[in-house]
Every structure is written in C-alpha cells, then in structure tokens.
C-alpha cells in the first residue's frame, strides 16, 4: 500500500497540475547564478553561466528551475512529481524535495566536490545525514543515482558525459 505521504502528494498533484507549465525533465540545483541566501554559503554552489543553463535547456531538454521562483508549495509538489527525470544538487534541495518525486521517476543527485567531507569522512558531523539521505532516497523512486565529487566548476562536456553515463541521455549509434 502507498504511504500516506505519497497519497497526499498525488492528491496535491491531481488537484493543481493544471495551474502551471510542467516538464518531464527538470534540474533543481544550487548554482552561483542564484541571488538568494542559502543555509550553506554560496561557496558550495556549482559555478555555471547563464549560457550553460540556456545550452542545457535547448540541447538536452532539461528545464532549469529554482524553488525561489515558484509561487507556492503546491507548484513545487506538482513540478517535482510530474517530472520523469530529475536532477538535484546534493544538500537541502534534494533533502527537502525528494518527498515529492514520482515513484517512476529517474533521479540524479549531483554531489559536488565542495561537499566531499560530508559524504566521504565517517567522522564528519553530516555523514549520518548523508547516509540517511541515501537510504531514504533509494526507497522513494525506481531509479536513483548519486554522482559524487561532481566538479564545482561546471563544464558542459562533463555534464553530458555524466548524463550519458547514468543513462539520462542516449548516445547515438
């Protein structure tokens, strides 16, 4: 039987999905393009340009979205639940929004190198949170992958390589 949380998320989606444009492929990642305050400093954000974002949208079909641009909780739920391919950045964005993922979605979490100590050193205060996130995430959707040590400085060719490696992009034969 589905959990109470899944039933509630499905209900929110069903009642509100007509209110906003929804996408099959989304990216919710913390970048240096964001001009908002973060719980963790911007020093841990992925460095990318607006040109990178435009290229991702135009060539790969991923919609680059920011939670701070959404008007309400229901829009966040609908946006994440609707998507069948989701890319999150490691940390708050993933931990908060993972509960809204459709059970049939494929999810990639980019853990950039600035977080290395949190997920590699068992003595780090956040290691327990990392392990709990991994265990919880794996039970929420059909296909979940974590890419550790993603470079903090964005490179479009590397990004394409990562997406191809994890099966988000198909290579032409």
């Amino acid at each position: 039987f589905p959990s109470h949380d899944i039933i509630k998320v499905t209900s929110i989606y069903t009642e509100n999905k007509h209110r906003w444009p929804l996408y099959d492929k989304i990216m919710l990642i913390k970048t240096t393009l964001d001009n908002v305050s973060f719980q963790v400093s911007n020093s841990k954000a992925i460095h990318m340009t607006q040109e990178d974002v435009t290229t991702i949208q135009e060539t790969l079909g991923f919609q680059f979205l920011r939670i701070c641009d959404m008007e309400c909780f229901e829009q966040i739920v609908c946006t994440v639940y609707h998507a069948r391919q989701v890319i999150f950045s490691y940390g708050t964005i993933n931990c908060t929004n993972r509960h809204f993922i459709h059970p049939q979605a494929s999810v990639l979490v980019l853990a950039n190198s600035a977080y290395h100590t949190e997920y590699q050193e068992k003595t780090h205060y956040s290691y327990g949170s990392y392990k709990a996130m991994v265990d919880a995430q794996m039970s929420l959707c059909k296909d979940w992958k974590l890419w550790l040590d993603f470079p903090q400085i964005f490179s479009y060719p590397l990004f394409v390589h990562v997406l191809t490696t994890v099966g988000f992009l198909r290579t032409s034969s």
Side-chain angles (χ1 to χ4, degrees):
F1 292 98
S3 74
H4 179 331
D5 292 342
I6 293 294
I7 293 169
K8 184 65 177 166
V9 167
T10 304
S11 174
I12 291 169
Y13 176 77
T14 302
E15 293 170 16
N16 295 283
K17 64 184 178 182
H18 63 280
R19 296 174 57 193
W20 306 279
L22 300 173
Y23 309 98
D24 291 333
K25 298 162 76 172
I26 64 170
M27 290 180 63
L28 292 166
I29 63 174
K30 180 172 66 172
T31 74
T32 52
L33 294 174
D34 294 317
N35 294 321
V36 295
S37 298
F38 291 105
Q39 182 180 12
V40 177
S41 72
N42 227 13
S43 66
K44 291 192 174 185
I46 295 173
H47 300 270
M48 61 191 317
T49 66
Q50 186 59 50
E51 183 179 336
D52 293 326
V53 171
T54 302
T55 302
I56 289 168
Q57 291 184 163
E58 291 176 356
T59 62
L60 304 178
F62 280 90
Q63 294 300 312
F64 188 88
L65 305 171
R66 297 175 347 144
I67 296 295
C68 63
D69 292 335
M70 296 187 193
E71 64 186 57
C72 61
F73 175 75
E74 289 82 3
Q75 184 179 9
I76 296 168
V77 170
C78 289
T79 299
V80 174
Y81 188 80
H82 182 84
R84 292 305 179 261
Q85 288 186 310
V86 179
I87 300 173
F88 285 133
S89 55
Y90 176 83
T92 304
I93 291 174
N94 174 62
C95 288
T96 304
N97 296 293
R98 70 178 182 228
H99 303 286
F100 314 137
I101 297 169
H102 192 282
Q104 295 301 307
S106 295
V107 177
L108 172 62
V109 178
L110 299 176
N112 81 56
S113 55
Y115 289 97
H116 183 84
T117 56
E118 291 188 25
Y119 53 77
Q120 294 291 23
E121 297 179 17
K122 293 181 181 178
T123 57
H124 191 278
Y125 70 92
S126 291
Y127 185 78
S129 298
Y130 157 74
K131 283 294 294 162
M133 182 267 302
V134 169
D135 295 342
Q137 189 81 45
M138 292 178 79
S139 68
L140 293 174
C141 62
K142 74 171 184 109
D143 183 24
W144 179 82
K145 294 175 176 67
L146 176 64
W147 192 278
L148 298 175
D149 291 335
F150 187 81
Q152 199 170 357
I153 306 297
F154 184 86
S155 156
Y156 181 75
L158 173 65
F159 187 68
V160 169
H161 168 74
V162 168
L163 295 185
T164 302
T165 300
V166 300
F168 270 45
L169 297 180
R170 305 288 182 249
T171 55
S172 52
S173 6

